Amino acid sequence: GAVVSQHPSRVICKSGTSVKIECRSLDFQATTMFWYRQFPKKSLMLMATSNEGSKATYEQGVEKDKFLINHASLTLSTLTVTSAHPEDSSFYICSATGTSYEQYFGPGTRLTVT
Amino acid sequence: AQKITQTQPGMFVQEKEAVTLDCTYDTSDPSYGLFWYKQPSSGEMIFLIYQGSYDQQNATEGRYSLNFQKARKSANLVISASQLGDSAMYFCAMREGGQGFSFIFGKGTRLLVKP
């Protein structure tokens, strides 16, 4: 099946710094990519939807200026957590969809803000 | 209103037995897809099975089958012959309309397989 990668898999950063998470579709062109956030033992919460070449659509309650999403190409989307705080610590998962019904998930990135 | 409801926060099953994980959904869109994902402790999401709203037969994938009851809006996952490696979180998800729409996830069911 299709493969989606995320980098890094784990990141620890200091409060106030920014961190970038990359999501890549390795063997297909992802017209749409999604970013989710998961709190421990809870369901996935959709943060934003990004289409290649256009601005991301954010879900209600998600700060656009804090969670910057760029979908520069059909194989790459990035999520930048700006001025990170400990409450931003979470598991972030991206997914990508191409021409099939399937949505392919990345392995996730665990962010810890100290 | 919740669109995807998983009423079992946690379940136990004995190894080699079958288990059913419940999922009900709510949509007015005639075209939708229903998915089940497994999330082990590593966090990655593993696709298990898919059922389209127009599919006539229940989906099956190896030990996984989806009991699709459209009139009742339920899409229960049945795992046959449980294995220790099946212990994980299981999420039911729905996507309405076209491919560009995101998934709506249920809250998940934690399954623990006992030896």
Side-chain angles (χ1 to χ4, degrees):
Chain A
V3 178
V4 174
S5 71
Q6 271 185 250
H7 178 79
S9 57
R10 291 177 180 270
V11 58
I12 301 172
C13 69
K14 291 188 177 181
S15 187
T17 62
S18 296
V19 61
K20 180 185 286 187
I21 302 169
E22 293 186 348
C23 176
R24 293 181 184 272
S25 57
L26 299 184
D27 54 359
F28 69 102
Q29 292 186 324
T31 52
T32 305
M33 285 186 168
F34 305 93
W35 286 94
Y36 297 88
R37 179 175 178 175
Q38 184 183 37
F39 297 90
K41 298 183 181 180
K42 293 195 175 180
S43 189
L44 297 180
M45 180 194 80
L46 177 65
M47 298 175 66
T49 303
S50 74
N51 294 295
E52 185 264 339
S54 60
K55 288 184 179 180
T57 302
Y58 290 81
E59 296 298 303
Q60 194 173 8
V62 178
E63 298 176 60
K64 300 178 183 181
D65 295 331
K66 181 164 190 60
F67 298 100
L68 301 179
I69 291 171
N70 182 276
H71 192 161
S73 75
L74 284 170
T75 59
L76 174 65
S77 176
T78 60
L79 166 67
T80 301
V81 182
T82 62
S83 186
H85 287 101
E87 57 264 31
D88 298 326
S89 298
S90 192
F91 193 68
Y92 294 87
I93 301 178
C94 75
S95 69
T97 184
T99 56
S100 74
Y101 63 82
E102 175 67 84
Q103 208 176 89
Y104 302 97
F105 286 86
T109 297
R110 187 165 300 283
L111 170 64
T112 304
V113 184
T114 60
Chain B
Q2 263 187 318
K3 290 213 163 189
I4 295 284
T5 304
Q6 291 180 255
T7 58
Q8 308 150 313
M11 286 193 73
F12 289 96
V13 65
Q14 205 65 41
E15 192 180 8
K16 299 180 184 177
E17 292 185 349
V19 62
T20 298
L21 306 183
D22 295 341
C23 174
T24 58
Y25 60 93
D26 183 28
T27 181
S28 57
D29 194 325
S31 176
Y32 55 90
L34 297 159
F35 302 75
W36 276 92
Y37 286 87
K38 172 184 177 181
Q39 189 183 45
S41 55
S42 61
E44 63 181 308
M45 296 288 276
I46 302 168
F47 167 74
L48 296 179
I49 198 165
Y50 166 80
Q51 180 86 43
S53 58
Y54 295 117
D55 293 344
Q56 296 295 314
Q57 293 187 321
N58 286 348
T60 59
E61 290 284 350
R63 293 187 299 111
Y64 304 107
S65 60
L66 200 150
N67 184 1
F68 182 44
Q69 298 187 40
K70 195 170 183 177
R72 299 175 66 177
K73 293 189 175 178
S74 79
N76 298 340
L77 175 70
V78 180
I79 305 174
S80 63
S82 298
Q83 302 172 356
L84 296 178
D86 294 335
S87 294
M89 278 289 285
Y90 288 81
F91 290 101
C92 179
M94 174 175 67
R95 182 162 71 189
E96 297 168 303
Q99 294 161 3
F101 292 88
S102 72
F103 281 36
I104 305 164
F105 284 89
K107 293 188 176 181
T109 295
R110 182 168 295 280
L111 178 66
L112 182 61
V113 180
K114 296 193 286 186

